Amino acid sequence: MAKRHRHLQRRPKSTNALNKAPGTVAYVGRKESAEIKVEVIDYNKVNYERFIFDNVEATFKFENEEKITWINVDGLSNTAEIEKLGKYYKLHPLIIEDIVNTNQRPKIDEYQDYLFIVAKMLYHKENGILEHEHISIVIGKDHVLTFQEADGDVFNAVRERLTNSKGRLRNSGPDYLVFALLDAIIDNYFVVIEEISDKIETLEEQLFTAQPNDDITFEIQELKRTVLRIRRAVFPLREVISRLEKIDSTLIQEKTLNYIRDLYDHIIQVSENIEIYREMTWGLMDMYMTTISNKMNEVMKVLTIMASIFIPLTFMAGIYGMNFEYMPELQWKYSYYVLWGFMILVFIGMILYFKRKKWL
Amino acid sequence: MAKRHRHLQRRPKSTNALNKAPGTVAYVGRKESAEIKVEVIDYNKVNYERFIFDNVEATFKFENEEKITWINVDGLSNTAEIEKLGKYYKLHPLIIEDIVNTNQRPKIDEYQDYLFIVAKMLYHKENGILEHEHISIVIGKDHVLTFQEADGDVFNAVRERLTNSKGRLRNSGPDYLVFALLDAIIDNYFVVIEEISDKIETLEEQLFTAQPNDDITFEIQELKRTVLRIRRAVFPLREVISRLEKIDSTLIQEKTLNYIRDLYDHIIQVSENIEIYREMTWGLMDMYMTTISNKMNEVMKVLTIMASIFIPLTFMAGIYGMNFEYMPELQWKYSYYVLWGFMILVFIGMILYFKRKKWL
Amino acid sequence: MAKRHRHLQRRPKSTNALNKAPGTVAYVGRKESAEIKVEVIDYNKVNYERFIFDNVEATFKFENEEKITWINVDGLSNTAEIEKLGKYYKLHPLIIEDIVNTNQRPKIDEYQDYLFIVAKMLYHKENGILEHEHISIVIGKDHVLTFQEADGDVFNAVRERLTNSKGRLRNSGPDYLVFALLDAIIDNYFVVIEEISDKIETLEEQLFTAQPNDDITFEIQELKRTVLRIRRAVFPLREVISRLEKIDSTLIQEKTLNYIRDLYDHIIQVSENIEIYREMTWGLMDMYMTTISNKMNEVMKVLTIMASIFIPLTFMAGIYGMNFEYMPELQWKYSYYVLWGFMILVFIGMILYFKRKKWL
Amino acid sequence: MAKRHRHLQRRPKSTNALNKAPGTVAYVGRKESAEIKVEVIDYNKVNYERFIFDNVEATFKFENEEKITWINVDGLSNTAEIEKLGKYYKLHPLIIEDIVNTNQRPKIDEYQDYLFIVAKMLYHKENGILEHEHISIVIGKDHVLTFQEADGDVFNAVRERLTNSKGRLRNSGPDYLVFALLDAIIDNYFVVIEEISDKIETLEEQLFTAQPNDDITFEIQELKRTVLRIRRAVFPLREVISRLEKIDSTLIQEKTLNYIRDLYDHIIQVSENIEIYREMTWGLMDMYMTTISNKMNEVMKVLTIMASIFIPLTFMAGIYGMNFEYMPELQWKYSYYVLWGFMILVFIGMILYFKRKKWL
Amino acid sequence: MAKRHRHLQRRPKSTNALNKAPGTVAYVGRKESAEIKVEVIDYNKVNYERFIFDNVEATFKFENEEKITWINVDGLSNTAEIEKLGKYYKLHPLIIEDIVNTNQRPKIDEYQDYLFIVAKMLYHKENGILEHEHISIVIGKDHVLTFQEADGDVFNAVRERLTNSKGRLRNSGPDYLVFALLDAIIDNYFVVIEEISDKIETLEEQLFTAQPNDDITFEIQELKRTVLRIRRAVFPLREVISRLEKIDSTLIQEKTLNYIRDLYDHIIQVSENIEIYREMTWGLMDMYMTTISNKMNEVMKVLTIMASIFIPLTFMAGIYGMNFEYMPELQWKYSYYVLWGFMILVFIGMILYFKRKKWL
């Protein structure tokens, strides 16, 4: 039990962070590392280049109108570098704050020259742990900036498709790239909620097979917590995509709208599934109560049957264990056998009684 | 328990499917078969013809303005053929994706020249299993395309009415045909939720007659899952039909609107019934808890009565089984009879006590 | 248990009915009878006449502009007659379908020349059974058509007031007559939900007085079902009346609007009461669980007290029933009395202990 | 239990009342009394007069434009008098009906020359019983009519402030008087829900201290009922005041609007508190279940400890109570003492076992 | 239990307070103190001054257009002083009433020359008690008035930043100061709900480790109450900030809007967390029920095993304790050893039986 860790989204307790002025750029996540990894993918219909840098200045030269530049920053704890990048791309201070504030809920903000989207990436790391990662996306005229907490994400498929010159991705604008990224994020939600479904099934089976024990209670409670956390990551994104569809911005081309509508369909589907798993998870505790009660019922039946059969028989034996001088039965030759006969009759009677009650 | 299968709508886990580009046509259902069956019904007020083909090219010759062509495709795993048909009819790539993506939730999309509707067909196969089938409908100017996963559907009544030249169906446009198809789908929902009602009644009776056992708990949980799945198939269709009623499209004639409103009434009615069955199903677990508790109460009463009666009597017998040398009662001639008398009094007293408490 | 009958609103299972074309007139209720009873009340400020016919043709002569004609049809299974009447009054085929489809939920439809209202009449028949009857109302320029499943309704008070020339009813138009009919229907809802209230009180008392048994569980579940059914009959009517108030139709005179608003007040009041009874009914199962647990607690206490007192005493008696040759106490003259004394002390001690624990 | 009385708002069962024509004036409350008490307070900035009459005609002379006349009628069963007053002030017949129909839910109706408000007065009578009283308010150009069921209300503070010439009340119009009356009603809601809070606390304490018994279950259910009743009295008033704020009527002066907004704040606050008490009350049943289970657990522990200790010991004693001729232990001199030693060991072992399990 | 204190927001019971005229300034909180502490911070880009006074008159001289004046009043019971201040700043009487009415829920009111905001400050005092403090904010053209119940607040960080001439705070208007104050209040909500999260974890652990006892039940109920109270303080503030964002007032500069939007994000986040903690808290009672049941199950198993093993053995011993003259086994030399063998077999059999049932 000591290894349980559950951290709901929290802003830090330290006086320091709480007293900071709004717009102050302070990383609040748990993935501290001074290192920053900047990946730049610069592409258009005909060209494709990919670079990895360890500082943001290197990315400044990629600004050109003929190519789309996707700058992906891994590592948010080196806030100085992120501020530098932000300044170069003229991002509002509050955006910089939101990029590093890993507690920021999914949202979309419109600014003059760019759109700003916050989402949560959910995926299983190799060790099976559910990763809950903060991701920010800035869509500009000819560039897309993405910021993540750590190395490792769900975008490999997008990167692969970018290397392939024939796909729709290479022929479209930054809006389509953002669509592809969001699509990758949402596709992974399906995998994650699948795990929830598996966990529910496993628990259901445990309820029936395992002896009642508090670990199951605790696992159900943990599962509730996980479902609620996933829900909080997913539900606000629904509104984000809904607004993205209706946004009146030159950054989103009309032909991309169909794809965003498709995205909206998917996120709704994820939400519906989450709600179903939520209902199922909440039902588990009730199921558990009935299985415990059933098991207790069985225990009580064994006790009742044993006691009901042998207590009267013991009483009979007790009667003839008495030491009264005048007990006529004691002298009679067949008493012992008659008593045995009677006891067997009582025994059979009880067995039949319990059989009729269907307790046996 | 090994035979339990419950699959909530899921997108496939394979990296392959998840990494696919949006608009990629990939069948994700469980009804794999390379075969495709194409049924064409070409009709107008005076003519009626029906053909079965095993490829989509054969259907291309049916385009003519005087007749309404209903092309029904069975089998979605041969995506190449479906793409061919889609190209011929100029369907948007996302529509082709949705046709074969059996996880797509019910929806309606408006395009320039056609309307696209996704719905879920629920029906019981001959072996009694609930079939949950993905169906897509494309309404064009003089044709209706329908796509299903497998052979076997709920449209036989519609086919029959089409052979009959006098019905409203033959005298109306493709919009009325679509209405008839949706009506057939929704009519089957009534049959399906009827089964739920029967299942609830069966479970209720089992609760009272069967000994407490975990199978009932599990069946209740299964029923919850089924109700939630049906709900997910039905509820989005409500919005689809609501939007169909309000749509401003030349494809829907005004005289058909009254029928669509009627359809809306029916789907609302299905939804209301599902909600009622949902409440009843959720109530089953509580009912079960009370019946288990009642049964345990009964078990406890038997134990308590047996023990309360015989434990004091056994004690009395024990007293006179003691071997003290000086126990005056042992020598008295009538002790044994007096003790029996006293024991019978105690016995009767206990019986009366339990009778007064209404435990007997 | 064999006599339980609960039928939620269902469309028939027969292939026949399901495969019917929309707009097909098929009676789906359970009150089959070839007979039809047509009641005509023809009135204006000065005249009043009432006739009973057994066919609809007889009613056709009543069309005149000076008088208001109320045609009330009892019996929906003779659909041919109803279609005849529908044709004469130019009713849309879907309306005819809804008139005989007893599963149609309450609704209001506006047509060129008439308004069409569907409602559910709830009332207790003489044998105490709750009648759930389908009623359709057509409001024309100078006539009102009402269709019911069976003889016997809640309109007698309206009929009586019509015979009385001084009332507002005789001086107003068909809209006021319809208001009076709806008012009669809603007034009966109050009576019906009153019964629910009584039933809840009866069950509450049973919970406390009766021994735990599954019949109560079942009755609570039945009551839930009844409340849900009444709710489904009443709630849609709320929307009907709300729309009736806002409708822009020459058929509803402005001075009647105040009365419809009043009607709306009443139906809201019914709905509020239903919601309260719903909460109370849902609470009954929890109440039942606590009373069962209380009763089990009492049973357990009796067992525990009896066993805790006599098991140690029996042990003591057992000790001195042993046959060891060297047991000094056995020979001592006062052993027996001392032991009795000790046993009585133990007995009193236990009693005091249980008294202090408040179990006695 | 025989004295329980809970009456949800009901319209009377008598055929008479149900069959009455709409607009018929019939008192349906439970406070029958032929007497009527009419209180008139006639005031303006400089003058103040107060009269008590026993008929309504006496009030007719007070109509004048310079003074505001507040006519407060106590007693609704003398409907003739109320109709007389209604006719004099040209009230719509439906208003008269609502004034005496104590089941009418809170509402506001706008008429040409006056506003009509229905509310529920909740207050504790001297004997501690919660009074649930119907009150109707008519706001005219220079008069306010209020109708109550019985003598005794929450308006004494308003009356007192009216006698004081300096207050805002004397310097404002009838709208401000109505505001003051509603404010007095709502202020009393705070007192009433306070009682609910106290009752919840009392019940919580009882749960822990009292032995499980069904009275607590019943009291919790009663409390639920009370909360639901209060809720029904309060919630519709929220809408009433919200509409009063937005109403476009010359009867409400603009400077009064700030006060009405304040009133709205208060009623929202009452509603929020009711919802909190509702949650707490609903939680009581669950609390009770856990306390019962805890108590049963304790009972079971005592039984288990007593039985587990003494049953094996009794068995041992039983062994040496056997009468076999060849039992070597019986002859051995120290058998008895050794057995005692062994028994004491077993006893101590059991005690330690239960201590380790923390059952002791 | 005697020290439990839980006070839901209440208006006072005293007749006095209830009968007061609206707009009457009466302090209703629990922090009585005649003292008033007035803190004035007068600043602009270049200057910064801070004063502490014990009366409000001293603040009147600070009115000047070049500097922003923040007047913070600690102590609301000296209503005379507050009225004086209110009069000087021309505040509406209802505002003065709301400033001292600590039960007023969070709200925003727009007036001609100022905005009025009510919020609730939640913070932990040094002794660990959750402080629930009423705070009112008035935003004027060049001044901000804040009113609190007691000394000690969450604004120290704001004060600190004000002393620092470089921050955004010194360069912005009163609207930005108000934003900073609200931000400080909301930041503290995060700390407070963190405590709730910790409390939930503590309780969960207690559920598993502690013996069942009613204190846990009570603590869960207390936690529910706390969550509901926090919810009531936080949720209305959401609407306040939402309206603040949309307000059309010259008092709020456009560049501040981005910050207010950020604030809105934070309050939404707090609300979401509260809802999650609410779900978790409500789930605790169910968890507790299952852990109690599990514990009872264990108790029952011990009893059943002990009784099932020893009761039959005792019966056997009882048989051979009987004193019949003709019991052949008694004389047989090996009877005693055979019986022991049989008893050991029965014992082992029972143990195996319980092992197979997994009760051991």
Side-chain angles (χ1 to χ4, degrees), chain B residues 25-27 33-38 55-57 60 73-93 95-101 136 145-149:
Chain B
V25 177
Y27 175 65
S33 107
E35 305 268 311
I36 193 166
K37 194 183 119 196
V38 185
N55 63 73
V56 297
E57 280 90 351
F60 295 168
V73 180
D74 280 346
L76 303 179
S77 56
N78 190 336
T79 54
E81 287 290 304
I82 287 165
E83 281 192 276
K84 225 181 287 166
L85 192 66
K87 245 163 232 161
Y88 181 78
Y89 280 103
K90 300 189 190 62
L91 305 183
H92 192 279
I95 283 192
I96 309 284
E97 193 195 353
D98 286 342
I99 284 170
V100 299
N101 175 5
S136 317
L145 312 181
T146 54
F147 300 86
Q148 318 175 26
E149 280 179 89

Side-chain angles (χ1 to χ4, degrees), chain A residues 11 211 225 232 278 300, chain E residues 204 273 279 300-301:
Chain A
R11 280 166 74 127
Q211 278 298 300
R225 222 186 286 268
R232 189 176 49 181
R278 196 170 163 260
M300 296 307 299
Chain E
E204 280 179 6
N273 281 351
E279 293 253 24
M300 295 307 300
K301 271 188 209 163

Side-chain angles (χ1 to χ4, degrees), chain C residues 18-163:
Chain C
L18 279 168
N19 292 352
K20 76 184 196 316
T24 307
V25 178
Y27 175 64
V28 301
R30 282 166 299 137
K31 288 155 191 159
E32 293 284 345
S33 106
E35 306 269 310
I36 193 164
K37 194 184 120 196
V38 186
E39 175 193 22
V40 179
I41 294 178
D42 202 43
Y43 70 93
N44 64 9
K45 222 175 272 198
V46 289
N47 297 312
Y48 170 86
E49 283 175 305
R50 182 168 181 265
F51 309 90
I52 307 283
F53 305 108
D54 60 357
N55 64 74
V56 298
E57 280 92 350
T59 71
F60 296 168
K61 63 173 180 186
F62 287 99
E63 204 170 11
N64 54 54
E65 300 223 337
E66 292 138 42
K67 281 180 169 182
I68 295 163
T69 313
W70 172 20
I71 300 173
N72 177 36
V73 179
D74 280 346
L76 303 179
S77 57
N78 190 339
T79 54
E81 288 289 304
I82 286 165
E83 281 191 275
K84 227 183 285 166
L85 191 66
K87 245 164 233 160
Y88 180 78
Y89 280 103
K90 301 189 190 64
L91 304 184
H92 191 281
L94 282 169
I95 284 192
I96 308 285
E97 194 194 353
D98 287 341
I99 285 171
V100 299
N101 175 4
T102 56
N103 298 323
Q104 179 56 50
R105 65 196 290 273
K107 69 164 180 178
I108 181 167
D109 280 346
E110 289 174 69
Y111 286 87
Q112 190 81 25
D113 298 322
Y114 47 86
L115 291 173
F116 176 62
I117 294 172
V118 174
K120 299 291 170 183
M121 208 150 53
L122 301 176
Y123 59 92
H124 288 276
K125 290 183 83 165
E126 282 151 35
N127 50 15
I129 288 168
L130 178 65
E131 201 61 33
H132 200 89
E133 199 171 324
H134 181 68
I135 179 155
S136 318
I137 303 174
V138 175
I139 318 168
K141 209 172 135 265
D142 51 12
H143 57 269
V144 170
L145 312 182
T146 54
F147 299 85
Q148 319 175 25
E149 280 178 270
D151 209 11
D153 57 27
V154 299
F155 298 149
N156 284 330
V158 178
R159 287 188 189 93
E160 222 163 88
R161 266 150 50 208
L162 274 176
T163 61

Side-chain angles (χ1 to χ4, degrees), chain C residues 110 181 195 254 308:
Chain C
E110 289 174 69
L181 295 174
E195 297 283 323
E254 207 174 319
S308 299

Side-chain angles (χ1 to χ4, degrees), chain D residues 277-302:
Chain D
Y277 294 134
R278 197 171 161 258
E279 293 252 24
M280 299 317 290
T281 308
W282 264 239
L284 284 176
M285 204 66 101
D286 285 341
M287 277 183 86
Y288 193 35
M289 263 315 281
T290 61
T291 61
I292 296 175
S293 295
N294 273 341
K295 293 213 169 83
M296 203 184 307
N297 221 345
E298 211 189 330
V299 171
M300 294 308 299
K301 270 188 209 163
V302 168

